[in-house]
Amino acid sequence: MTTPLLTVDNLKTQFFTEDGTVRAVDGISFDVYPGEIVGLVGESGAGKSVATSSILRLVDSPGEIVDGTITFKEKTLFGLEAGPDGEPRPSEEMLTEEEMRKEVRGREIAIIFQDPMESLNPVFTVGGQLREFIELNRDLPTEEAKQEAIDMLREVGIPDPENRYDEYPHQFSGGMRQRVLIAMAIACRPDLIIADEPTTALDVTVEGQILELVAELQEKYDTAFIWVTHDMSVVAEICDRVNVMYLGEIIEQAHVDDLFYNTKHPYTQALLNSIPRPDETIEELDPIKGVMPEAINPPSGCRFHSRCPEAREVCQRVHPEPRDLSANDRPHNAACVKYDVFDVGYDASPPLETDATGGFSAGLTQTESEAEADGGDR
Amino acid sequence: MSRTASESDPLVRVENLRKYYNNDSGLLGGLTMDSEFPFVRRESSYVKAVENVNFDIHKGETLGLVGESGCGKSTLARTVLRLLDATDGSIYFKGTDLTELDGEELRRTRKDMQMIFQDPQSSLDPRMKVGPIVEEPMKAHGMLDPEGREARAKELLEKVGLDPQHYNRYPHAFSGGQRQRVNLARALSVNPDFIVCDEPVSALDVSIQAQVLNTMQELQDEFNLTYLFIAHDLSVIRHISDRVAVMYLGQVVELADKEELFENPQHPYTQALLDAIPAPDPRATDRRTVLRGDVPSPINPPSGCRFRTRCQKLIQPEAYDLAEDEWRRVVEFQRAVKRRNFEEREPSAVRSRFLDDVDLRGEAGRIVTDAIDHIAADRFDEAEALLTESFADQSICAKKEPMYEVAPELAGDRHVVACHLHRED
């Protein structure tokens, strides 16, 4: 294989709140190779969005990246080294804020957000915003940038782009606005686009159009994508490789086909079992029991053990790091001690009383600060 | 699971229901600026949110209502409960026409009809504790004494899968799924027969969705509830409904038993909608066909069949005699002109892109050639008008509103489909 475009190694992002430290992203590692679509999947609060903002160093106070390295095309987006007094400090190679802003964001790594209305300024015309972006990032004169903007709008399928150029965001439908953001993202021909739930707010028919457009553009420009979503159907449709996140950690990492047909981690399995199918009628759904615990005080051992149907006593004690369990030549990492390679005595360990085995009430007693955790995680 | 129509009368019957919103209320409403004298015009227009909707819901059944955003699902739901006043038509609930009730009578009927909203956050008062929230409807309808209400609230909290101990907590202490359970308990408190659920699970995570859907089904079985269940997610609709109505731009275009609708869809819109859902399966290779374009404005909806401007199966006018694939190309060409979707305007390039270099015979060929000439001269408006008038507007789809019934093949005893493909010649 070629060298990865982006390498995230042991990334940790934490939020320092009054109630304690929220470990929103807790030691995740993954690669993105040129031209592939990598999925980042999980329920809300899993840390997906924090992970992507960390890559662009857009985490705001009280959040902070506390450990790990992020390398993009031999540039260090984030890295630490030991200072004179042993305290970690940003390493020499790490890009400055200005370099990040001028060279990386928008130019080399673009991002598309979930809500297209919030990403466009309602008091400027759509065309004007796109033109300004192209003007600044590609150093084109205004007239040329305008022509380029119109061409981009046409390319992403906006009808009658010459006239729509002068319209305001509210005059566009949700799908059209998302197309504008895609135009903005590809305008500088970045090598990597981070798409943070770009189709979640859209209808299925529009979602279909957008996914088709992305596939076309990807083929044309060979852009790599990090696709953040909670929708397994979208993952199945467009991703090449998938990272499944639970409570700040990547618990399974596999090629999309292996993930669906040779699922290793019980969480991924439970997630797949819980979704209603459009293509068949299912009498009763099999939901994941309980609710996701708080990232302030995650469960000991395996973080999923409190909701896992296969949890045993050892799962409370041992915290598994993902290991390659692949039977073929494609790596397939999962973090679950039920596999023999972990060798921690899972088979001999007694089964555990959890939400999945006990009643529903177990997960419902510790709700007091959940609302805050929800809010803090965004 | 399937509860087909019983011999008894339906619990809810909606007949020719219409809801229009006036578009020129307010001081400056309806004003448009012009570049010519007198510069300002005032026009009256209506948003036709719900147009001519008919359906029945029988006791104990779930009718799923599905459609894209902006197609009038929520307006329909609110009009059925008379939270909005209908412009025209009737809503019979247990045989009484709700549109004719008012004041105290209507208020008392509302005891039997409840609603669950999409956003579990904003539908609960943040300054009220959960217990009193659940008791509120009982209070409003003068049910039980205070102790009785508290006991019932606790019982209901337990029924919907919450801990009765949570009686004294505020909504913010609950997660989204749990808040939706509180909403369920509140709706159930007055012992209603009929609950309208407006996208009750779309704000929830998939795993939580499944929990809430299961609870809703258990409660339905236990209390013999009747649901009108609105969702844009077809997977959810397939899971929970007995019968399904598909809405497009304010109208019901297809209504049939769930199995019948999903396995034997007859309306091109339903087919497109079903094709659009991705299956959670990376090996599902059949590339979905994508529905082009946006939903037209409900202020000035297309004549005849409202779906015709996006339909893949628009019927050829009798005046022409084109082969099926030639007609499809002409339709595609007309829609592309409407979208101004052209990079190349040179006649031969246009001809090869849209018509595959086929020379169309007769009248149709002449019109297409004229349109291509207009495009080459950058007269898009003329080209659009010519094509639309000669092709799209001549189709039966544009001239007559469709409404047909076909014999169900798989399940149920009625299959209503609003598409001229099913007309009897």
Side-chain angles (χ1 to χ4, degrees):
Chain A
M1 252 200 176
T2 46
T3 48
L5 186 67
L6 175 84
T7 307
V8 175
D9 186 37
N10 194 29
L11 176 71
K12 287 186 182 173
T13 306
Q14 301 180 347
F15 288 81
F16 300 97
T17 67
E18 277 179 24
D19 295 329
T21 306
V22 180
R23 298 154 175 273
V25 172
D26 207 18
I28 62 168
S29 309
F30 65 95
D31 297 330
V32 180
Y33 288 91
E36 73 170 349
I37 301 187
V38 173
L40 201 57
V41 196
E43 294 175 84
S44 29
K48 310 181 296 283
S49 295
V50 177
T52 51
S53 336
S54 302
I55 293 171
L56 285 174
R57 294 217 334 243
L58 288 171
V59 182
D60 277 336
S61 172
E64 203 183 307
I65 306 174
V66 295
D67 200 4
T69 44
I70 305 170
T71 325
F72 175 75
K73 292 209 291 190
E74 286 162 18
K75 290 183 199 138
T76 307
L77 302 191
F78 186 84
L80 296 174
E81 61 184 18
D85 47 357
E87 280 286 292
R89 62 168 191 205
S91 64
E92 290 277 316
E93 306 86 56
M94 185 169 127
L95 299 187
T96 61
E97 258 319 297
E98 195 181 345
E99 286 169 326
M100 277 301 283
R101 197 168 59 234
K102 287 196 167 166
E103 289 170 21
V104 178
R105 290 182 205 139
R107 284 193 182 197
E108 304 236 20
I109 306 180
I111 186 159
I112 306 169
F113 291 104
Q114 174 172 357
D115 187 345
M117 197 62 209
E118 278 178 23
S119 324
L120 290 169
N121 191 329
V123 301
F124 292 103
T125 61
V126 166
Q129 293 181 55
L130 187 55
R131 193 211 71 229
E132 185 187 19
F133 180 82
I134 294 171
E135 219 178 304
L136 289 177
N137 282 300
R138 286 173 57 184
D139 305 315
L140 290 176
T142 309
E143 267 315 301
E144 248 174 83
K146 176 173 177 179
Q147 195 46 52
E148 181 70 20
I150 290 174
D151 290 344
M152 292 313 302
L153 288 176
R154 181 177 294 115
E155 171 139 26
V156 296
I158 304 273
D160 198 8
E162 284 88 356
N163 290 321
R164 301 301 298 254
Y165 181 89
D166 289 319
E167 288 187 1
Y168 289 88
H170 75 267
Q171 292 167 295
F172 281 59
S173 69
M176 288 292 165
R177 287 199 283 258
Q178 204 56 283
R179 284 170 193 268
V180 173
L181 289 186
I182 291 173
M184 214 175 258
I186 57 170
C188 294
R189 310 275 183 272
D191 292 308
L192 176 66
I193 295 180
I194 298 175
D196 191 353
E197 306 242 16
T199 60
T200 306
L202 306 174
D203 278 313
V204 271
T205 51
V206 185
E207 178 182 276
Q209 295 172 0
I210 298 284
L211 293 183
E212 196 188 52
L213 172 69
V214 166
E216 269 171 36
L217 293 172
Q218 203 227 0
E219 199 157 299
K220 186 164 170 193
Y221 298 114
D222 202 30
T223 316
F225 277 85
I226 297 178
W227 200 276
V228 179
T229 182
H230 66 268
D231 189 337
M232 288 309 243
S233 310
V234 172
V235 170
E237 168 136 356
I238 62 161
C239 292
D240 298 310
R241 290 190 306 129
V242 191
N243 300 298
V244 184
M245 280 188 83
Y246 184 77
L247 217 57
E249 295 180 331
I250 289 178
I251 51 99
E252 186 159 5
Q253 218 164 19
H255 186 271
V256 65
D257 197 72
D258 297 335
L259 189 85
F260 282 80
Y261 282 94
N262 190 10
T263 315
K264 295 286 188 198
H265 200 283
Y267 174 65
T268 318
Q269 191 61 58
L271 205 57
L272 288 171
N273 289 346
S274 71
I275 36 182
R277 300 278 303 218
D279 46 354
E280 54 195 90
T281 301
I282 298 168
E283 280 303 314
E284 194 172 356
L285 294 173
D286 186 12
I288 306 181
K289 305 294 187 304
V291 290
M292 195 187 281
E294 295 161 39
I296 285 192
N297 190 10
S300 60
C302 169
R303 293 189 172 178
F304 186 56
H305 84 251
S306 60
R307 299 167 76 192
C308 181
E310 295 174 70
R312 302 222 173 153
E313 190 271 331
V314 64
C315 302
Q316 266 180 320
R317 286 185 286 113
V318 180
H319 180 257
E321 289 296 327
R323 292 198 198 177
D324 194 353
L325 304 169
S326 171
N328 54 24
D329 55 347
R330 293 192 294 239
H332 187 155
N333 298 333
C336 178
V337 295
K338 76 173 177 175
Y339 295 99
D340 290 341
V341 284
F342 286 90
D343 196 23
V344 288
Y346 175 83
D347 291 333
S349 180
L352 202 62
E353 282 277 309
T354 65
D355 287 353
T357 47
F360 49 69
S361 52
L364 301 172
T365 43
Q366 30 162 275
T367 53
E368 204 71 304
S369 44
E370 222 171 69
E372 287 94 326
D374 268 358
D377 253 15
R378 301 265 148 81
Chain B
M1 274 294 286
S2 81
R3 279 167 284 247
T4 42
S6 59
E7 35 310 311
S8 61
D9 281 338
L11 183 73
V12 181
R13 161 166 281 168
V14 170
E15 279 181 7
N16 297 326
L17 191 66
R18 268 202 186 108
K19 174 68 192 168
Y20 291 178
Y21 291 104
N22 197 333
N23 212 11
D24 51 38
S25 57
L27 188 60
L28 299 173
L31 286 188
T32 27
M33 305 296 267
D34 255 341
S35 52
E36 290 161 34
F37 188 78
F39 304 113
V40 175
R41 275 181 300 145
R42 188 166 191 130
E43 278 174 356
S44 223
S45 64
Y46 290 94
V47 177
K48 294 166 186 164
V50 173
E51 179 96 286
N52 261 338
V53 167
N54 295 284
F55 59 79
D56 296 342
I57 311 177
H58 292 272
K59 188 141 184 62
E61 117 177 307
T62 303
L63 178 71
L65 190 61
V66 68
E68 291 173 273
S69 36
C71 74
K73 303 185 296 286
S74 296
T75 302
L76 176 61
R78 278 157 211 234
T79 316
V80 168
L81 291 184
R82 266 208 69 186
L83 296 176
L84 295 170
D85 278 322
T87 309
D88 196 10
S90 324
I91 307 141
Y92 295 98
F93 180 71
K94 293 181 177 169
T96 328
D97 188 351
L98 293 181
T99 53
E100 281 167 8
L101 297 184
D102 49 18
E104 186 56 23
E105 257 181 319
L106 178 64
R107 203 183 76 84
R108 263 187 273 128
T109 324
R110 287 224 166 105
K111 181 171 167 295
D112 296 329
M113 319 181 291
Q114 290 290 313
M115 183 152 183
I116 298 168
F117 295 92
Q118 172 171 8
D119 184 355
Q121 173 80 55
S122 61
S123 50
L124 297 173
D125 184 342
R127 281 175 291 189
M128 266 173 99
K129 288 179 178 168
V130 160
I133 286 179
V134 176
E135 287 173 24
E136 192 79 351
M138 295 191 263
K139 233 193 234 168
H141 290 287
M143 278 173 71
L144 304 170
D145 52 18
E147 288 81 38
R149 288 201 287 264
E150 181 169 339
R152 183 169 165 78
K154 286 186 172 162
E155 188 193 319
L156 283 166
L157 287 177
E158 193 163 359
K159 280 261 187 298
V160 298
L162 294 171
D163 189 339
Q165 307 287 325
H166 292 166
Y167 182 87
N168 276 323
R169 288 195 179 171
Y170 287 97
H172 75 83
F174 291 88
S175 67
Q178 291 172 330
R179 280 188 210 131
Q180 208 55 299
R181 289 171 189 274
V182 174
N183 268 321
L184 258 171
R186 175 173 61 185
L188 288 174
S189 66
V190 288
N191 212 355
D193 297 308
F194 178 50
I195 301 184
V196 173
C197 317
D198 189 359
E199 304 255 15
V201 296
S202 54
L204 309 176
D205 260 321
V206 273
S207 67
I208 309 297
Q209 245 181 35
Q211 294 174 359
V212 174
L213 288 174
N214 281 348
T215 306
M216 290 185 71
Q217 280 184 326
E218 285 157 26
L219 293 170
Q220 179 171 42
D221 291 343
E222 186 172 345
F223 297 107
N224 194 19
L225 297 171
T226 308
Y227 290 139
L228 173 61
F229 194 102
I230 299 174
H232 67 274
D233 184 336
L234 285 143
S235 317
V236 169
I237 285 285
R238 175 160 199 168
H239 179 67
I240 197 138
S241 313
D242 298 312
R243 284 190 305 139
V244 181
V246 181
M247 263 187 106
Y248 183 77
L249 210 58
Q251 291 179 323
V252 170
V253 295
E254 186 161 9
L255 199 164
D257 194 87
K258 166 177 71 175
E259 288 299 325
E260 171 83 11
L261 189 108
F262 277 85
E263 296 301 333
N264 184 25
Q266 292 300 320
H267 197 284
Y269 178 62
T270 314
Q271 289 163 357
L273 212 52
L274 290 176
D275 275 349
I277 352 173
D281 183 351
R283 290 186 194 168
T285 44
D286 45 341
R287 190 73 214 158
R288 40 190 182 154
T289 49
V290 171
L291 199 56
R292 312 261 149 214
D294 277 332
V295 184
S297 157
I299 295 174
N300 194 8
S303 62
C305 169
R306 290 185 171 189
F307 184 57
R308 68 178 170 91
T309 52
R310 298 167 81 193
C311 186
Q312 300 288 327
K313 298 189 176 160
L314 189 74
I315 297 166
Q316 187 177 165
E318 280 164 17
Y320 305 106
D321 183 27
L322 298 173
E324 186 58 25
D325 67 317
E326 288 173 342
W327 167 244
R328 291 288 145 243
R329 285 178 200 285
V330 171
V331 171
E332 267 315 302
F333 177 55
Q334 179 249 324
R335 288 178 186 167
V337 171
K338 200 167 178 191
R339 286 200 297 270
R340 306 283 191 275
N341 193 1
F342 284 86
E343 282 164 46
E344 284 287 345
R345 290 172 188 187
E346 207 261 317
S348 63
V350 170
R351 196 171 274 280
S352 87
R353 179 171 162 204
F354 290 98
L355 303 166
D356 201 19
D357 292 318
V358 174
D359 265 327
L360 298 173
R361 283 161 293 127
E363 178 74 0
R366 194 186 53 76
I367 297 167
V368 169
T369 310
D370 283 356
I372 290 174
D373 291 344
H374 280 312
I375 292 168
D378 208 15
R379 292 190 301 261
F380 270 100
D381 291 342
E382 277 100 337
E384 182 188 337
L386 177 66
L387 289 169
T388 309
E389 276 162 28
S390 346
F391 296 114
D393 289 352
Q394 297 304 316
S395 168
I396 181 172
C397 302
K399 295 194 159 170
K400 207 172 133 206
E401 262 189 47
M403 187 48 70
Y404 303 96
E405 217 175 304
V406 297
E409 276 179 25
L410 296 168
D413 43 26
R414 288 190 76 193
H415 188 158
V416 179
V417 49
C419 177
H420 286 303
L421 286 174
H422 298 278
R423 70 192 186 277
E424 282 155 27
D425 297 304

